[in-house]
Structures are given as structure tokens and as C-alpha cells.
Amino acid sequence: MPLSVQLKTPVTGEYTQPTGLWINNEWVEGVDKKTFEVINPATEEVLCSVSEATEKDVDIAVAAARKAFNGAWRTTTPHQRGKYMTKLADILEQNIDLLAAVESLDNGKSISMARGDVHAVIGCIRYYGGWADKIEGKTIDVDHESFHYTRPEPIGVCGQIIPWNFPLLMLSWKIGPALATGNTVVLKSAEQTPLSALVFANFVKEAGFPPGVLNIISGFGRVAGAAISAHMDVDKVAFTGSTPVGRAIMKAAASSNLKKVTLELGGKSPNIVFDDADIEQAISWVNFGIYFNHGQCCCAGSRVYVQEGIYDKFIAAFKKRAEQNSVGDPFDENTFQGPQVSKLQYDRIMGYIEAGKKEGATIETGGERHGDKGYFIKPTIFTNVTADMKIMREEIFGPVVAVAKFKTEEEVIHLGNDSSYGLAAAVHTKNINTALRVSNELRAGTVWVNCYNLINFQVAFGGYKESGIGRELGEAALANYTQNKSVSIRLGGALF
Ligand code: ADP
């Protein structure tokens, strides 16, 4: 199989799309020479085929990462690590249009949103490049006869498994803190969206990273993903994706070498609108909270609670707002919502819409396919949704929101926390006391006040309860990729 193909996008014209596995700073075919097809979700057509990594390829990539960890990367100074990362960010900056176009082509997200993602990717890599030479330990004063210090040391070879909803962004969240702290990486992209990570891989060598430091492979979860999670020479696995897969990864880690595990999983985040909120602003954020990225966000504001005083007014205006979201061609600059990523996701979401109807919720708008080609779904609002309904309890991961009415602050805190998830939440109110009281009570890793989806690479992100383990972004993510070594030195004579 050739290791690249020529593809076309309306933004770039023809470009060279790598299709191999990126191992040891080289493009290679898989050992078994397997490939799989990549589908354009906007047209349902096959874009190309890429190499599929099997267990054997994971072994080769892990061996390359181990060699780099014990060799060239170990002797690379923290300052130099940071320089490679900032150089990589500079190269990415020169290729924003290409990266964004490939993301739109493969994932279906609108080109303007894809550009936003690429800017965030660059910011994230540059941010962690800045951390590389600021990873510091402590000295600890115990007594006059001894001296104690700590060293945050890299964990080793990190397996990283990412989802398809933000292919490049999730890659940057994963590799940023891992590389800054001196680890080496084997990253597997999602089988639905391998293309942008492969374009990205082309820049790794150019930025100067030694061979084996960052290996990027395409492949299926049950094959390559499972091989990473169960590998005896992978020291840590980091995963973003669904809660059931997170459980499987944790089990595989437990029953292999007890590798360290961090998980960023699903959510069913409450978005709470009080009577005293700025209603127009609140509607904009609620709309953005659920429909951004076509509802394919782990932190999507998919449960909306509106206080009874403004409920009717809110629903009428929200319906109007949702119907104005432009759904269509990802390469149209005005598009807000593109297709869902795959047929499987499309079918799952339509299944939830059917469940909502059957359970007696009311469809205010949407609830059906948009157009006749591609995996498009109209922005959908369900009202009269009760706490026990499937659409109020389960993560739909699509442009479908469940809305319910509430009376009191106490009641809505209870409703907001009535979930096995705890990734994010939001409160809309003009009263600072209400905002702070409710934020403190909500059991979620992120609470937004009078906004939604404000995710910044400087600010930690991650889940309470079944939404995950560990934190990504910010200084907090460094802890996921370092382990503490304590060194104790005796200064005085013999103790006994
Ligand atoms: P979704 O259900 O939304 O597609 P998943 O959680 O299944 O999301 O997938 C996210 C990532 O996890 C993908 O890279 C996928 O290949 C990987 N994955 C899926 N199943 C497993 C598994 N059993 N072990 C390891 N990785 C997996």
C-alpha cells in the first residue's frame, strides 16, 4: 500500500494525505499490511484507506518509545524539550488551513469551528512547551541530621487513546503534558477520524523530536486500543471517550502491569437557567452548550433546567434560536452544524429521539434527519422531560437537548446532581450569591457561570463521579504524567 494519497478539500485544493503508521519518525505499513476505509460523513463517500495497526504494530511502537525514553529523550534537557514543542507549535501555525480543512473533511465539523480547534491545539502545545523547564520538586525540612527533596520524574512510555469528536484537540491535550514532562508516547487516533493526526505527524520530525518520542498510529479500539491498555511495557494509559470503554481500559490496566490510568469520560451536564438570568444571553449559551460540535462534546449541556417564571418565554425563544442554527456543508463558512461523525452515531442518536418520543416527552423542534445525504440531524429540543427518562439520564452525544422546569434552588441542585456523571455544569443568573451557592453545590469538575464551553488550555478540565479520573489541561495535567521520587540524605552520623 502507498504511504500517502492525494486528497482534495475546497480550502486547500489537492494535498498529500499520509496513510501509514508514524513510528520512530518514519512512515511504515502495518506488519500485517491491513488497512481500513475512512468515510466523509458529509457525503458518506470513502475518502481513502489508511494502515491499521494491530498488536504487532503496537509492540513495535512501544519498543520505539521505550528506546527513546531510555535514550535520546532522557538526555534531552527540559529546556530543549520545550524548544521542540514551541517549534512544533510554530510549524502548526504555518499550516492552520491545511489542518483545519483535513479536520472538516474527516470529522464533518464546520471549517470555522475546525480553525478554532487548530488555534486551541497550537496554544495548548505552546503552553506545555513553556512548562517543560518549570517542573520542580521540593525540599522538605525534617531535622538537622537529614536533607530531603522530591523530584517529579516522567512516568515512562505513555499510551494515549483519543476519540473522534475533537481529533486534533484531544491529541494536543494528551501529548502536551506528556512530552513536556519527559515521557514518550504511543498515541492511537479514533478509527472514525485518523486523517488529521497523520498530517500532524508529518511535522514531528521537522520540529526536531528524536525518533520514537512521539508515535502516532491509526487502528481500532478493540485491537490496537486494547493492545495499548494491556501492554506490559506501557507505563501509563490516558484515554478520552465513553465511560464503558474507560472501564474496559481500567480493567486491562489492572490485569496487566497496573499501569497508571487517567480517564476523561462521558457526561450529562446540567445547564441551569434562573428566572433572573439575562434571557437572551442565556439562550445563546444554552444553544451553544448543546449544539456546538453537533452535540458531540463530552461536556455538552444536554440537560437544561429552566425556572418556572421564565419557562414559557424561554422555550419559545430557544426554539426560534435552535431553528436558526445553519446545518449543512462543513466547508461553507456560515455553517454552524455539520453531520454527525458516522452512521453508527447517527443511528444511536435517532434511537434516543425515538426513545424520547415513546417515553412521552414533547418534541419542540427537530427530531429528524436534515437533508437526504450525509449524517445530518436537525437541532432537537425535547420538553416535558422527566428525571427518569432515558433522554434525561443517558449521554446522547448528538444535537438533542432535554429540557425540564424547576421551582426552587434546592430542587434544581438536587436535579443537577441526579446523574452518575459529573463532568460539567452551568448556572445562568444575575445574582452573584445564587451563582456561587449553586456552583459550590454542583458535583462537577467544571462549572460555568453565565457562559458555556469556555475551555482554556490554562484551566484544568476533568470529571467528578463516572466522568473520569485525573485532570487535563492547566498545571493539573502535569501531575498525570509525573511520579514523585523522594530522596532522603543522612547528614549526621549513624543513627544506631
Ligand atoms: P465512541 O463510542 O464515541 O466511538 P469510544 O469510547 O468507543 O467512543 O472510542 C474512543 C476511543 O477509544 C477510540 O480511539 C477507540 O478506538 C478506542 N477504544 C474503543 N474500544 C476500546 C477498547 N476496548 N480498548 C481500548 N480502546 C478502545
Side-chain angles (χ1 to χ4, degrees):
M1 194 195 114
L3 293 171
S4 66
V5 291
Q6 294 304 112
L7 292 183
K8 235 186 192 171
T9 76
V11 173
T12 57
E14 200 165 276
Y15 78 95
T16 303
Q17 172 64 55
T19 54
L21 307 174
W22 179 254
I23 299 177
N24 232 356
N25 274 4
E26 279 173 17
W27 290 112
V28 292
E29 278 187 281
V31 173
D32 292 337
K33 305 206 184 315
K34 286 186 163 186
T35 61
F36 64 95
E37 288 181 339
V38 183
I39 310 287
N40 179 342
T43 62
E44 305 180 39
E45 284 158 12
V46 175
L47 286 166
C48 64
S49 290
V50 298
S51 291
E52 182 201 332
T54 64
E55 290 90 342
K56 295 172 200 162
D57 304 302
V58 169
D59 282 345
I60 294 170
V62 170
R66 175 61 60 197
K67 190 160 173 236
F69 182 72
N70 290 338
W73 202 228
R74 198 175 191 80
T75 51
T76 300
T77 62
H79 177 68
Q80 184 60 51
R81 286 203 303 262
K83 274 176 81 175
Y84 291 142
M85 294 182 74
T86 45
K87 172 92 187 285
L88 178 59
D90 291 344
I91 299 170
L92 297 173
E93 201 145 41
Q94 289 152 19
N95 289 280
I96 292 172
D97 278 348
L98 170 65
L99 291 160
V102 176
E103 201 75 314
S104 283
L105 185 69
D106 194 7
N107 168 280
K109 67 176 69 200
S110 71
I111 186 71
S112 56
M113 301 287 169
R115 265 192 223 107
D117 282 11
V118 177
H119 281 284
V121 167
I122 295 164
C124 179
I125 290 179
R126 197 166 273 142
Y127 170 78
Y128 281 109
W131 267 112
D133 58 1
K134 298 167 194 71
I135 314 291
E136 296 168 350
K138 280 185 175 173
T139 60
I140 303 151
D141 190 11
V142 175
D143 55 35
H144 287 294
E145 284 81 37
S146 62
F147 173 62
H148 306 258
Y149 68 91
T150 64
R151 264 167 67 83
E153 295 191 343
I155 293 175
V157 174
C158 298
Q160 304 188 316
I161 301 171
I162 59 168
W164 45 260
N165 56 345
F166 293 93
L168 276 176
L169 193 62
M170 292 302 105
L171 179 150
S172 70
W173 289 20
K174 292 280 179 288
I175 67 166
L179 297 179
T181 46
N183 299 275
T184 57
V185 167
V186 176
L187 178 135
K188 188 194 84 61
S189 57
E191 51 270 43
Q192 298 85 346
T193 53
L195 299 188
S196 56
L198 298 177
V199 171
F200 180 102
N202 253 344
F203 304 132
V204 170
K205 193 171 175 180
E206 196 184 333
F209 287 94
V213 170
L214 176 53
N215 306 279
I216 297 180
I217 57 177
S218 316
F220 290 94
R222 276 173 201 212
V223 182
I228 290 172
S229 323
H231 206 287
M232 292 302 287
D233 202 31
V234 169
D235 301 301
K236 185 225 160 78
V237 62
F239 168 74
T240 297
S242 61
T243 297
V245 172
R247 275 187 222 284
I249 287 175
M250 202 157 174
K251 276 187 197 156
S255 49
S256 54
N257 61 346
L258 273 173
K259 55 181 67 62
K260 316 286 177 263
V261 181
T262 45
L263 304 172
E264 204 261 273
L265 306 174
K268 190 76 185 172
S269 299
N271 200 350
I272 299 167
V273 186
F274 282 92
D275 279 344
D276 67 349
D278 177 326
I279 192 160
E280 265 177 46
Q281 284 287 321
I283 284 165
S284 280
W285 288 113
V286 166
N287 184 64
F288 185 61
I290 181 63
Y291 299 123
F292 169 57
N293 212 39
H294 330 165
Q296 302 169 146
C297 291
C298 46
C299 57
S302 50
R303 292 186 287 145
V304 172
Y305 298 102
V306 183
Q307 204 163 15
E308 58 184 358
I310 56 160
Y311 184 84
D312 292 339
K313 193 171 160 202
F314 180 95
I315 296 298
F318 179 31
K319 183 176 166 212
K320 210 164 141 203
R321 181 74 184 75
E323 286 168 355
Q324 283 165 0
N325 292 338
S326 59
V327 182
D329 177 9
F331 283 100
D332 181 334
E333 289 288 342
N334 297 317
T335 293
F336 173 70
Q337 183 184 314
Q340 307 310 126
V341 77
S342 65
K343 173 87 170 63
L344 183 69
Q345 285 301 318
Y346 173 89
D347 289 341
R348 271 185 196 164
I349 297 162
M350 292 312 271
Y352 276 111
I353 291 174
E354 283 314 307
K357 286 186 200 164
K358 255 198 206 125
E359 287 185 307
T362 310
I363 291 197
E364 294 289 340
T365 186
E368 57 190 15
R369 184 186 188 109
H370 169 93
D372 52 12
K373 201 172 60 162
Y375 312 124
F376 295 91
I377 297 177
K378 289 187 179 166
T380 300
I381 301 174
F382 274 105
T383 54
N384 296 318
V385 188
T386 53
D388 55 330
M389 286 184 191
K390 212 170 158 181
I391 55 167
M392 192 57 110
R393 305 215 69 80
E394 296 183 19
E395 184 175 42
I396 300 175
F397 226 64
V400 180
V401 69
V403 187
K405 198 189 287 186
F406 73 94
K407 281 193 171 73
T408 66
E409 182 179 315
E410 194 189 3
E411 178 195 3
V412 83
I413 289 168
H414 170 76
L415 289 169
N417 286 333
D418 182 19
S419 170
S420 56
Y421 293 115
L423 190 55
V427 187
H428 302 267
T429 172
K430 285 198 197 115
N431 185 326
I432 185 74
N433 294 352
T434 309
L436 292 179
R437 268 197 317 268
V438 178
S439 301
N440 288 346
E441 291 303 317
L442 290 170
R443 300 200 60 219
T446 291
V447 181
W448 288 296
V449 175
N450 294 330
C451 60
Y452 209 92
N453 283 335
L454 285 200
I455 296 177
N456 297 291
F457 43 80
Q458 301 96 330
V459 182
F461 180 80
Y464 279 34
K465 300 194 265 183
E466 292 180 27
S467 287
I469 297 176
R471 291 291 177 271
E472 301 206 272
L473 301 181
E475 185 177 359
L478 302 170
N480 297 341
Y481 289 96
T482 50
Q483 49 194 347
N484 178 76
K485 177 178 281 173
S486 300
V487 180
S488 295
I489 304 166
R490 178 88 182 140
L491 302 179
L495 196 57
F496 302 106

